[in-house]
Amino acid sequence: VINGSGMSDGNGDGIPDTHATSDYGYDDSWMSLLGNTTGWFAVDLGEGHELFQMEFYNFNAPGNTTRGVRLADVYVSMLEDPGVPGTPDFSDSAVWQLVAPDVEFTQAPGTSGYNTPDLLDLGGIQGRWLALDIKSNWEDSRFVGISEIQLFGVRIPEPSTLVLAAFGFVGLVFWRRRAGRR
């Protein structure tokens, strides 16, 4: 979700699973503006997905791991425009669905080879947007940050795709019936 630049495939299965570090996390992490230690972070997945799991790699810069997210609510939205950019109204349940309240994330180690992300079961919830309403960090007075978020799920086909697939199936059944009568 951030940009994958700090990730590598430590176990060789084709899925990045290990996060490196940088001097301050600027190059391979997301960090708030100076003075913001709470707030929100949202990502548009571009289309609806059935989301099963989130792997959360907290802010992982040596000497600055207190900038990592400590406590946050996790939300999803299926809307194309849930009010981002701007300030999302997480209290509007017609727009945002609370997936997990008060999730406490583990402080990152501040070393390369960080391969123990927090795992959050999303239970197959449908969402186009994933958002964190960040309530606190690990005591940094200047910033809050995230190194990487990986989401595992499947794309939800658009309704028109489902209709075309249904027509194709009906056509195949009809063709097979006709072919069987000859």
Side-chain angles (χ1 to χ4, degrees):
V1 165
I2 305 301
N3 67 7
S5 66
M7 299 295 293
S8 63
D9 181 9
N11 63 8
D13 66 358
I15 300 172
D17 57 10
T18 304
H19 192 272
T21 62
S22 67
D23 291 336
Y24 295 100
Y26 300 130
D27 298 331
D28 53 14
S29 301
W30 169 83
M31 197 164 51
S32 68
L33 295 174
L34 178 63
N36 294 333
T37 60
T38 62
W40 57 271
F41 174 86
V43 62
D44 181 3
L45 302 174
E47 56 193 345
H49 287 76
E50 190 174 357
L51 300 170
F52 297 105
Q53 183 175 322
M54 178 176 86
E55 291 185 358
F56 183 86
Y57 293 82
N58 222 333
F59 193 79
N60 192 39
N64 290 302
T65 60
T66 57
R67 293 178 178 173
V69 176
R70 182 175 190 162
L71 189 67
D73 292 336
V74 179
Y75 291 87
V76 296
S77 176
M78 277 298 288
L79 298 181
E80 185 174 332
D81 181 10
V84 176
T87 303
D89 181 3
F90 294 118
S91 67
D92 187 347
S93 61
V95 176
W96 293 100
Q97 184 176 353
L98 180 62
V99 177
D102 297 325
V103 177
E104 186 162 340
F105 294 102
T106 306
Q107 188 172 359
T111 59
S112 288
Y114 172 23
N115 64 359
T116 54
D118 289 301
L119 305 177
L120 182 61
D121 181 359
L122 300 175
I125 194 163
Q126 293 186 357
R128 173 181 171 156
W129 288 81
L130 178 102
L132 276 67
D133 185 9
I134 302 167
K135 297 179 176 184
S136 67
N137 67 10
W138 283 93
E139 306 298 325
D140 188 274
S141 63
R142 299 171 39 155
F143 300 98
V144 65
I146 300 168
S147 284
E148 204 72 46
I149 297 174
Q150 289 184 315
L151 297 168
F152 296 86
V154 294
R155 185 178 63 85
I156 299 169
E158 292 185 32
S160 60
T161 304
L162 293 175
V163 170
L164 288 174
F167 278 126
F169 178 73
V170 169
L172 178 63
V173 169
F174 179 73
W175 175 78
R176 291 205 32 114
R177 285 182 135 184
R178 285 195 63 169
R181 290 184 187 162
R182 293 184 183 169

